[in-house]
Amino acid sequence: MAIKVNQSKQYRIYIKESKSWVDVNKEFYTNYYRDINAYRKRQQEHGRCVCPASKRYLCDMDCMTCPYAKAGDQLSLDNTISDGEGNEKSWLDDMPDESAAIAELMEDAELLRAL
């Protein structure tokens, strides 16, 4: 759902699924739009939302399906960085592997069976 106000000061919400407008009272409109507006502004500050003003009524805070969503300042773990010697490595290379080694699991299983 998204919200839009027309010139006659009627408060309306646009429902994407049915592609129709629904009249609402001012209190509901204000509460609903406050959340959407705050979320969209936060996304715009980080370059993740490039929604034009004429399409803001379509905003439902679902950036995964929005055609105006961008990566912004989010970087992937595949992002590569260069050290002073020109060698490149991804951030994923620096993450420790926290999964238990197969040998350790086998030892623990044998120990449990022995006990």
Side-chain angles (χ1 to χ4, degrees), residues 1 13-22:
M1 286 196 306
I13 297 173
Y14 182 75
I15 302 174
K16 280 184 174 181
E17 293 79 24
S18 64
K19 297 182 182 179
S20 63
W21 293 93
V22 175

